[in-house]
Amino acid sequence: MFKKILIANRGEIAVRVMSTCKRMGIKTVAVYSEVDSRSLHVREADEKAFLGGSRPKDSYLAKKKIIDVAISHGCQAIHPGYGFLSENPEFAEMVSRSGLAFIGPPATVIAQLGDKMSAKAFAKKLGIPVKPGHEECISTLKEAAAIAEQIGYPLMIRPARAGGGRGIRVVDSKEMLRTAVESCQNESRKAFGTDEFFMERYIERIRHIEIQIIADHYGNVIHLGERECSIQRRYQKIIEETPSTAVDDSLRERMGAMACNLAREACYANAGTVEFILDSRNKSVYFLEINTRLQVEHPVTEMVTRLDLVELQLRVAAGERLQIRQEDVIGTGWSVEARICAEDPARNFLPVTGMITRYAAARIKNVRIDSSVEAGSLVSTYYDSLLSKVIAWGETRTEAIESLVQALNAYHIEGLITNIDFVNAVLNHPSFIEGDLSTDFIAEHFERGEMKLPPPEEWLHFMAIAATLIYHNRQSLVHESLKPMMTKVGSPHQSKDQFTYLTKAEDVFLELRLTVNPAPHNWTVMVNGVKYQVVTPEFEFYRRRIKLRIGGKTQFFHTRYRDNNIWVAYRGVTRTFGIYTPLEWKLFYHMPKPKKVPPEDVVRCPMPGVIVAIPIKQGDRIYRGQDLVSIESMKMETFVASPSDGLIEKIHVAPGQAVETGDVLIKLKTDVLPSENE
Amino acid sequence: MKERRSRNNTRKKKLKPSTVQYEKVQATQRTLNALEEMKDQTLKGGGIDLIEDQHRRGKLTARERIELLLDEGSFEEFDLLKTGRGGAFGREKTYPGDGVVTGHGTIDGREVFMFSQDFTVRGGSLGEAHSQKISKVMDHAVRVAAPIIGLNDSGGARIQEGVDALASYGDIFKRNALASGIIPQISCIMGPCAGGAVYSPALTDFIFMVEDTSYMYVTGPNVVETITHTAISHEDLGGARVHSEKSGVAHFVLPNDIMCLREVRRLINYLPSNNKQRAPILDLSDPVGRTDPALDYLVPENPNQSYDMKVCINSILDGAEFIEIQSHYARNIICGFGRLGGQTIGLVANQPSVLAGVLDNNASNKAARFVRFCDAFNIPLICLVDVPGFMPGPEQEQGGIIRHGAKLLYAFIEATVPRITVIVRKAYGGAYVVMNSKHIGSDLNYAWPTAEIAVMGPKGAAEVIFRKEIQSSPDPAKTLAARTEEYRKTYVNPFLSAQRGYIDDVIFPRDTRHRIIRSLQFLEGKKRERPDRLHGNVPL
């Protein structure tokens, strides 16, 4: 077994590999770039080495530098993680040539299977079904008709120069082919100036299923079950689970056999994943590609098989034989993972940057969190936006999902926008709970990051209860704090134990009656007439989450005071509650309605200075809060952010120009949101 | 006629209209009824129609506001039946209450006094009786040393009463000024407040304004138009926006009456009832020793990059609760109340993301008044410093930055409450001294390792010190850069100051909260002494 290895990666995978190494007594060397100098992975390692600039090509992709570091630190192997150089055959070759072990398959295998086309050809040769489609682009109806016979219907025609979904046509039968080709070509000519197109089989409701395999250098290959990765946004997975609701034992055996066969024939070694697409309607599977590395979502397999995949990787790379046989692999229970990324779901998942000012996760049974960040971590533009993974295990799928949901309810990251609530909303969607998944899930059920379905009444009640109890308890605390100042004359009449509040949050209006029960922390709350028994914890008002037992079941909520309102997030639903006494509510009737302020369509200069840089250009689509112009003022560089969503209409300034407070820098064309037309 | 005896043998005396007893009871009953009717009438204010007008304008009536502001059922009114004299011959119509509701009640249990002007009665205009009521309640407030809250909603002086109205204003102003620094005085402008009337709120400690429905100005749009020939609306001349962003007269701006009154309740919880007391302690269970590792990295490595000081403020205060004063005015300095270890503190912090955190005229004024308020009411002062200096330029100089900067300096020096400073990054030149440095009597001064305490920025300093060398060098720019770097490494850090004892300690940013609270703990018993003089000459 290796004594010391170098991990040629960063973020949560580096931390993950290091934790297994620590357990096995293997020393670790971390490499880092400028911007990562105080990252978690650097601190977790036994030794560290600085690589260079923040751009990947200066650091994490600098093959020679990494190998030099490994040799100079006395490492015996390099673990490439995922992404970066993990599927780079050149790097694998360089590593083995320099006498180190590359923890992954041999370079030749990576080269052969890494190329999508050659992998597909290889699979086809082995009789593994591949999604029918024609590789080259064509431009005549005659060619189309011929290929259509091969592919079969329904099929999809898409322009060679794809963009924004334009020109894509689905053809259900031979009769419709001619019209489809013609209209596709028309649109393609107009949009892209060419009329060439691709043809491939069209599969509705695709599910993305992958098989985890592990092989040793002695020809032993086993598979560790499948993973369902259909929930994707921008073609990136965000929720993965194992096993899949679409895969029964026989299908699993079939797919596993195909995957192992492929690996065996290719002389595969170490861990890998064979990705398939499944047609939900007829359960036919088609090979998609093979990833010759460890994947982001490997923890779900680990939770269910109780195996440590990184350990298996190290053992295989060290030349050991696989001790596990296929029949030894038993999956228990269910596991679901959610990827937490620094991005804004409301703005098409635009990645965000910044420093994490608060980070807190609740400790929940059977929940594992693989995180690369903590309070004080910096998230930059140089690397992907993955912050952490939250993985839950349960005896059943329902249990696993519920544990994950509560973990997300209590997971709190401040300082950046994250997709925690979005992912939570996906997990709570009835279609997800039913197991009705496909790669279109998010497009189908969400718009601008919000669920299309309205949340169930009960959730809103729970959230209102959380907000009102926090409000009420704080008011009681204030009252208590003033007792020393109260008059001693005439002792106060006995305290009330019944309180009524009205709460309003966007579309929600509820009346809550609180009754303080004699038992400590025990409340009975009537929400619009529905009764709930609630047990509260010792209130700690600086915390951003609260745990309540409602009707005997523990529920976590995220909360935050925003001015006079309390923002609550629960199961992906967020509402800002304004809490009023009945008198305030009655008088609110007379208050003027808040004026709908039209969004700002000019970007003004906030202080006198000189323009340094303008990283955007005319016609760009920008989002509220996005940095548009950088100004140097008082020897300080600051960015001016956009006040609204929209397009850049005109830029009125240029770098080097001196500007004054209030000067118009940029004119925007703001988006007209649907609600403005009401 | 013989009396009939009932079955139980008791006598049932039929009360005939002519019996004396019956008349007595009737008379008393009539008096009671009359009183009830009188009170009911007064409680209706100006009548249903005017009340509905008020509501339509998006405003609440005087009594509704009182109900919202005070604890339920705690309001006791004075002078419900007081009226004006009825003009010189007693023949003018009088209105019970005379357009203002005064009395006392509790806010969260604490006794406060208040007056609420009633716009439905003669437009809330101020006459002799009206102002006498206000004066009386202010006298009570001073006598029992409890806060006074005024809800202003008035058309101004009652012209019919002539000079009497002016005299009345004077009475109120006198009391405002004499009570200043003894009891907290809060004004809410919830409607018009024009002409001389604005001076009463101006003398109080905090002014709340309601958006869209309130305005205050000395001279109204009509006169402005006559003199300057430009039309201007109430809103543009003296609306909430103008006073929160441009003039700094309004300390808080809220969207409507209800939110305004809630905010008053929130603010008053931070304050003591009078200057002999301490503010109430509110224990939010926020641990004293809570460290925040994110603070270690708040200050960017590049000294030219800005950051948001509010991140630091939210991190160190109890429960991240902070009530900011004048949040839209002079945004380059942040003033507000928070709690540390349950105790109210007054926070003054430079905001590097606005104008690089420089001190200018407006910022100096804003901070100086805040510091003096905290000193008057025993609220400890915490200062977070990141100031590159005073704002340069003829505009500032002509605006009197010299005087205004001196104001802030004077305010800090005069303050005898516990004063703690934490230097976060830059602290250059005079601004370093002004921002509560040890030299002007601050109790404790801490610095973060990122602190840069220097006479001026390294580049400027290098230009002066090594001027001859740079001028005579073959590559002046390179020499300057090298010397700047050298200066930065040697001088621009907190350690030289620490060596001299000007800084008590260089602390880890994550420990800031803990250190400040521990310091406040031992400073609790600080003796406060003042020189024996009537008052100094603040450079106003």
Side-chain angles (χ1 to χ4, degrees), chain A residues 564, chain B residues 69 149-152 185-191 193 201 204-211 214-216 240 243-244 249-254 256-257 259-268 271 323-325 337:
Chain A
N564 266 308
Chain B
L69 179 63
I149 301 171
L151 307 181
N152 293 277
Q185 299 178 71
I186 297 177
S187 318
C188 298
I189 315 295
M190 304 176 101
C193 181
T204 59
D205 298 309
F206 295 107
I207 299 180
F208 287 71
M209 283 185 83
V210 180
E211 266 171 30
S214 71
Y215 44 85
M216 52 192 296
H243 286 305
S244 71
V249 167
H251 296 93
F252 297 92
V253 171
L254 283 309
N256 56 50
D257 282 6
M259 291 289 118
C260 179
L261 295 166
R262 279 182 115 165
E263 196 72 359
V264 173
R265 288 179 67 107
R266 189 170 155 228
L267 174 68
I268 210 162
L271 307 177
I323 184 167
E324 194 181 348
I325 315 283
F337 296 109

Side-chain angles (χ1 to χ4, degrees), chain A residues 390-431:
Chain A
V390 185
I391 308 117
W393 180 89
E395 299 267 351
T396 61
R397 184 168 186 262
T398 324
E399 209 184 286
I401 295 176
E402 183 60 20
S403 294
L404 183 57
V405 165
Q406 291 302 345
L408 292 175
N409 274 346
Y411 197 29
H412 168 63
I413 299 182
E414 229 176 85
L416 300 166
I417 305 178
T418 62
N419 65 347
I420 292 177
D421 290 319
F422 175 76
V423 163
N424 210 350
V426 172
L427 292 167
N428 280 291
H429 197 284
S431 298

Side-chain angles (χ1 to χ4, degrees), chain A residues 250-268:
Chain A
S250 72
L251 182 58
R252 184 173 305 126
E253 222 179 284
R254 195 156 60 91
M255 291 173 80
M258 282 196 274
C260 291
N261 192 19
L262 180 72
R264 213 171 288 120
E265 292 299 317
C267 301
Y268 197 82

Side-chain angles (χ1 to χ4, degrees), chain B residues 146-380:
Chain B
I148 178 137
I149 301 171
L151 307 181
N152 293 277
D153 188 2
S154 157
R158 199 171 295 161
I159 302 175
Q160 290 85 337
E161 295 202 17
V163 190
D164 288 333
L166 290 180
S168 317
Y169 271 123
D171 285 332
I172 298 177
F173 298 160
K174 182 173 80 177
R175 284 168 175 80
N176 278 126
L178 290 176
S180 178
I182 297 181
I183 49 172
Q185 299 178 71
I186 297 177
S187 318
C188 298
I189 315 295
M190 304 176 101
C193 181
V198 302
Y199 289 114
S200 173
L203 289 167
T204 59
D205 298 309
F206 295 107
I207 299 180
F208 287 71
M209 283 185 83
V210 180
E211 266 171 30
D212 300 325
T213 51
S214 71
Y215 44 85
M216 52 192 296
Y217 39 63
V218 176
T219 321
N222 297 336
V223 181
V224 170
E225 191 169 346
T226 319
I227 309 246
T228 65
H229 306 288
T230 29
I232 186 167
S233 67
H234 296 290
E235 188 64 30
D236 290 331
L237 188 56
R241 200 132 192 251
V242 169
H243 286 305
S244 71
E245 289 174 23
K246 304 260 167 55
S247 68
V249 167
H251 296 93
F252 297 92
V253 171
L254 283 309
N256 56 50
D257 282 6
I258 298 181
M259 291 289 118
C260 179
L261 295 166
R262 279 182 115 165
E263 196 72 359
V264 173
R265 288 179 67 107
R266 189 170 155 228
L267 174 68
I268 210 162
N269 283 326
Y270 283 93
L271 307 177
S273 287
N274 55 61
N275 65 334
K276 295 276 192 288
Q277 269 184 10
R278 284 281 179 80
I281 305 257
L282 179 63
D283 180 15
L284 293 174
S285 317
D286 196 347
V288 165
R290 173 168 64 82
T291 59
D292 186 355
L295 278 185
D296 282 340
Y297 306 108
L298 175 65
V299 177
E301 271 176 45
N302 179 355
N304 289 342
Q305 229 186 315
S306 71
Y307 59 93
D308 189 357
M309 183 61 87
K310 293 226 174 111
V311 172
C312 180
I313 295 176
N314 283 334
S315 166
I316 59 177
L317 294 178
D318 281 1
E321 292 187 1
F322 180 60
I323 184 167
E324 194 181 348
I325 315 283
Q326 291 172 295
S327 50
H328 298 288
Y329 178 71
R331 289 173 36 243
N332 43 327
I333 202 161
I334 303 170
C335 297
F337 296 109
R339 290 188 174 92
L340 279 174
Q343 181 185 38
T344 301
I345 53 102
L347 193 94
V348 178
N350 305 107
Q351 172 63 292
S353 62
V354 179
L355 291 176
V358 290
L359 282 175
D360 62 0
N361 293 336
N362 293 345
S364 307
N365 270 307
K366 171 175 163 179
R369 182 126 202 262
F370 180 71
V371 166
R372 298 192 84 217
F373 175 83
C374 290
D375 184 43
F377 289 99
N378 313 316
I379 298 174

Side-chain angles (χ1 to χ4, degrees), chain A residues 320-376:
Chain A
E320 290 179 25
R321 270 179 185 275
L322 266 183
Q323 298 295 320
I324 320 164
R325 296 162 305 163
Q326 188 65 61
E327 48 272 26
D328 298 328
V329 177
I330 306 173
T332 6
W334 213 286
S335 180
V336 190
E337 170 184 284
R339 294 196 200 183
I340 308 300
C341 304
E343 60 193 19
D344 192 350
R347 295 196 167 91
N348 202 25
F349 305 100
L350 184 77
V352 296
T353 58
M355 182 173 78
I356 295 179
T357 53
R358 287 176 88 126
Y359 179 93
R363 267 197 285 263
I364 297 184
K365 196 151 162 257
N366 292 328
V367 172
R368 159 180 160 184
I369 300 187
D370 282 6
S371 167
S372 67
V373 293
E374 44 179 8

Side-chain angles (χ1 to χ4, degrees), chain B residues 123-135:
Chain B
S125 56
L126 194 112
E128 191 188 10
H130 182 131
S131 85
Q132 280 173 349
K133 285 178 73 168
I134 296 179
S135 299

